[in-house]
Amino acid sequence: MPSVVYFYHMISVVILGAGNVGSQLCQALDAAEDCEVIQLYNRTEVSNSQLPDHIEFTTKINEIKQADVYLLAIADDAIAGFSEHLPFKDSLLAHTSGTVPLHAIDNKNRRAVFYPLQTFSQNRSIDFNKVPIGIEAESEADLSLLKSLASSLSEKVMELNSNDRSRLHLAAVFVNNFSNHLYHIAAEYLEENSLEFDLLTPLILETADKISSISPEDAQTGPARRGDLETIKKHLALLNDGPKKELYKVLTESIQNTYGKKL
Amino acid sequence: MPSVVYFYHMISVVILGAGNVGSQLCQALDAAEDCEVIQLYNRTEVSNSQLPDHIEFTTKINEIKQADVYLLAIADDAIAGFSEHLPFKDSLLAHTSGTVPLHAIDNKNRRAVFYPLQTFSQNRSIDFNKVPIGIEAESEADLSLLKSLASSLSEKVMELNSNDRSRLHLAAVFVNNFSNHLYHIAAEYLEENSLEFDLLTPLILETADKISSISPEDAQTGPARRGDLETIKKHLALLNDGPKKELYKVLTESIQNTYGKKL
């Protein structure tokens, strides 16, 4: 297989899993130079109009083609079992998870990781160019192949061991999952009060954009940061709902403690 | 004064306070049509190279000029006292705070509010065009004048009473102050582990951008949302630091409760 890579300068890829990550990798790699998505496998039929028509699709594990790299984009807890049941061996098989260790992959294949640090949702196309891709493999040759593949998508490719990947993923949970939950809390609260959530859109975008030029530590503003107990009291009175009030308290205390002022 | 407005079609503005909000309003109104910033007052001298040179500046309360609108951009708890000490009366005086009620302004002037729903930081210029501006006044004439002024900056101008303004401000604390604090937590954690915070920038931007097309409720992903107890356990083990672990737990529980799955 390495000779094929050398001859064509073209990395052949099969994508296993057509969920959000698999579908978007499929589109992005299909559009990239230096690699070719030759097949997309999914357990069940998929109806995703954004998937390129010309890419062969299969639901049959025995029909999976030979490729330079297999990208495994399935649920975390399915990685070990699925990799065990694959009908081929000695191939380069990279999962795309933030938390699953490389060693979870069955060792009949060459185990690796290809982790794009981004959130993927249906109907949102990601520009991979700025997306950091963390790669991990068991040999220099595999690492080099994955590096070429990742570089065809992104300008930010890095070696990342399983421990550091877990840590990055944990930090990602804070900025992505938890922030989004705060958006949701705000949306609910505004809806309860017949106010439009859309009014917050420019603020949300500026909050996110700001940290490209100011550290989040310096960017911190608001009643908790400036020790404005009057406003905090007013806000707590507005929040008659238990869970929202609890979150407000915990986050306010955390900010106050961070900046050295106690409530 | 209304006749002046009518004749020149030009609203004269004095800005009281040259902090982040006052400075940015000064720049933006100076660049806008249909209004003219004739003076900027601040308690102390300021050194802000971004302030337009041609605008008269004063630190003397007795030298404040006559204007159609005075925009009061000072600390929340200074609004009442400062408005009391102003040497003029019967003028239109609008504060810019999210939480202070209109009635906090001394009633020797025509009280009003001009609230731009955005976060303002030093060295970041805000494009006011998309910034919602909530206005409140005690007469139709003043409301109309403020509406004209706000419309010269933004396409999103709305009447907003003091109660709804407080509620919007509270929601803004969730999406802005609290999200930014989560960015800070992530930055600290990555720094402790010698990983770059910059790696999260594309994720943070996409998380914020996504809610323009997907509701935050539908956009929610991550271990808490999908009930992935394995990953949650792993993350808690990685967080040996008390406060971060506490926040992780509280936010994870809140997501689980929101989506009907208990931990």
Side-chain angles (χ1 to χ4, degrees):
Chain A
M1 214 110 61
S3 65
V4 176
V5 176
Y6 178 74
F7 190 75
Y8 288 105
H9 295 282
M10 187 64 113
I11 303 167
S12 62
V13 180
V14 166
I15 293 171
L16 306 168
N20 290 332
V21 178
S23 301
Q24 298 224 23
L25 278 174
C26 188
Q27 289 169 66
L29 288 168
D30 183 57
E33 287 176 12
D34 308 325
C35 66
E36 189 183 11
V37 180
I38 57 170
Q39 198 181 33
L40 173 63
Y41 159 89
N42 198 59
R43 200 159 42 110
T44 54
E45 292 291 338
V46 288
S47 57
N48 181 340
S49 58
Q50 295 185 313
L51 285 172
D53 277 341
H54 58 270
I55 294 176
E56 192 186 305
F57 176 82
T58 183
T59 59
K60 299 199 178 66
I61 208 166
N62 289 313
E63 285 180 1
I64 293 172
K65 290 185 167 175
Q66 209 175 42
D68 297 325
V69 182
Y70 296 86
L71 293 181
L72 186 52
I74 63 176
D76 286 2
D77 57 6
I79 291 173
F82 183 81
S83 67
E84 218 176 288
H85 288 102
L86 284 172
F88 52 81
K89 58 178 187 169
D90 300 328
S91 294
L92 180 54
L93 178 62
H95 78 59
T96 54
S97 159
T99 43
V100 174
L102 175 139
H103 291 99
I105 299 172
D106 189 277
N107 70 0
K108 71 180 168 188
N109 280 297
R110 285 142 50 211
R111 302 177 289 191
V113 181
F114 185 97
Y115 172 53
L117 179 48
Q118 186 48 286
T119 174
F120 297 93
S121 312
Q122 257 187 328
N123 305 323
R124 286 208 44 101
S125 271
I126 294 292
D127 172 10
F128 274 84
N129 192 37
K130 302 279 178 204
V131 174
I133 299 180
I135 55 173
E136 187 180 6
E138 295 178 297
S139 74
E140 280 303 319
D142 287 347
L143 210 50
S144 160
L145 187 58
L146 284 181
K147 197 168 186 175
S148 299
L149 182 63
S151 301
S152 73
L153 286 185
S154 168
E155 60 190 38
K156 188 84 194 174
V157 178
M158 61 200 159
E159 285 183 50
L160 195 65
N161 65 43
S162 290
N163 286 336
D164 280 346
R165 182 161 41 83
S166 276
R167 293 188 184 108
L168 260 181
H169 181 252
L170 169 55
V173 165
F174 272 92
V175 301
N176 168 251
N177 303 156
F178 292 166
S179 285
N180 183 75
H181 183 54
L182 296 177
Y183 302 163
H184 184 197
I185 300 269
E188 259 187 13
Y189 177 75
L190 291 180
E191 201 185 347
E192 285 159 20
N193 290 285
S194 308
L195 289 160
E196 279 175 61
F197 176 64
D198 282 0
L199 294 172
L200 296 180
T201 308
L203 177 63
I204 287 172
L205 287 174
E206 169 63 12
T207 304
D209 203 35
K210 190 151 78 168
I211 50 103
S212 304
S213 63
I214 309 175
S215 77
E217 182 170 8
D218 292 336
Q220 191 66 52
T221 57
R225 172 68 183 93
R226 59 175 187 270
D228 177 352
L229 302 187
E230 203 57 44
T231 300
I232 292 170
K233 221 165 68 185
K234 207 186 284 183
H235 284 167
L236 288 173
L238 284 172
L239 289 165
N240 32 29
D241 164 66
K244 289 190 188 66
K245 193 176 218 158
E246 202 44 44
L247 276 185
Y248 186 97
K249 276 188 195 163
V250 170
L251 285 157
T252 292
E253 273 171 33
S254 179
I255 294 172
Q256 300 247 5
N257 291 335
T258 301
Y259 294 90
K261 287 174 202 159
K262 298 278 176 189
L263 272 178
Chain B
M1 216 110 61
S3 65
V4 175
V5 175
Y6 178 76
F7 189 77
Y8 289 104
H9 295 281
M10 186 66 111
I11 303 168
S12 62
V13 181
V14 166
I15 294 171
L16 305 168
N20 290 331
V21 178
S23 302
Q24 299 223 22
L25 279 173
C26 187
Q27 287 169 70
L29 288 169
D30 183 56
E33 289 175 10
D34 308 326
C35 66
E36 190 184 9
V37 180
I38 57 169
Q39 197 181 33
L40 173 65
Y41 160 89
N42 198 59
R43 196 160 42 112
T44 55
E45 292 290 337
V46 290
S47 57
N48 182 342
S49 58
Q50 295 185 312
L51 286 173
D53 278 341
H54 58 271
I55 294 176
E56 192 186 303
F57 176 82
T58 184
T59 58
K60 301 200 177 64
I61 208 166
N62 288 314
E63 286 181 1
I64 295 172
K65 291 186 169 175
Q66 208 176 42
D68 296 324
V69 183
Y70 295 87
L71 293 180
L72 185 52
I74 63 177
D76 286 1
D77 57 6
I79 290 172
F82 183 81
S83 67
E84 216 174 294
H85 289 101
L86 284 172
F88 52 81
K89 60 178 185 166
D90 300 328
S91 294
L92 180 54
L93 178 61
H95 78 59
T96 55
S97 158
T99 45
V100 174
L102 173 139
H103 291 100
I105 299 173
D106 189 277
N107 69 1
K108 71 180 167 189
N109 280 297
R110 284 141 52 210
R111 302 177 289 190
V113 181
F114 185 97
Y115 172 53
L117 178 49
Q118 186 50 284
T119 174
F120 298 93
S121 313
Q122 257 187 327
N123 304 322
R124 285 202 51 94
S125 270
I126 294 293
D127 172 8
F128 274 84
N129 191 36
K130 302 279 178 205
V131 175
I133 299 181
I135 54 173
E136 187 180 5
E138 294 178 297
S139 74
E140 280 303 320
D142 287 346
L143 209 51
S144 161
L145 186 58
L146 284 180
K147 197 170 185 174
S148 299
L149 183 64
S151 301
S152 74
L153 285 184
S154 167
E155 60 190 41
K156 188 86 192 173
V157 179
M158 60 203 161
E159 284 183 49
L160 195 65
N161 64 45
S162 289
N163 285 337
D164 280 347
R165 181 161 42 82
S166 275
R167 293 187 184 108
L168 259 181
H169 181 253
L170 169 54
V173 164
F174 272 92
V175 302
N176 168 250
N177 302 156
F178 292 167
S179 285
N180 183 75
H181 184 55
L182 295 177
Y183 303 163
H184 184 198
I185 299 269
E188 258 188 13
Y189 178 76
L190 290 180
E191 200 185 349
E192 284 159 21
N193 290 285
S194 309
L195 289 159
E196 280 175 61
F197 176 65
D198 282 359
L199 293 171
L200 296 180
T201 307
L203 177 62
I204 286 171
L205 287 174
E206 169 63 11
T207 304
D209 203 35
K210 191 152 76 168
I211 49 103
S212 304
S213 62
I214 309 175
S215 76
E217 181 169 10
D218 292 337
Q220 191 66 53
T221 57
R225 172 69 183 94
R226 60 175 187 270
D228 177 352
L229 302 186
E230 202 58 44
T231 300
I232 292 170
K233 221 164 70 186
K234 207 186 283 181
H235 284 168
L236 288 173
L238 283 172
L239 289 166
N240 30 32
D241 163 67
K244 290 190 186 67
K245 193 176 218 158
E246 201 45 43
L247 276 186
Y248 187 98
K249 275 188 195 164
V250 170
L251 285 157
T252 292
E253 273 171 34
S254 179
I255 295 172
Q256 301 246 4
N257 291 336
T258 301
Y259 294 89
K261 287 172 199 156
K262 297 278 177 190
L263 272 177

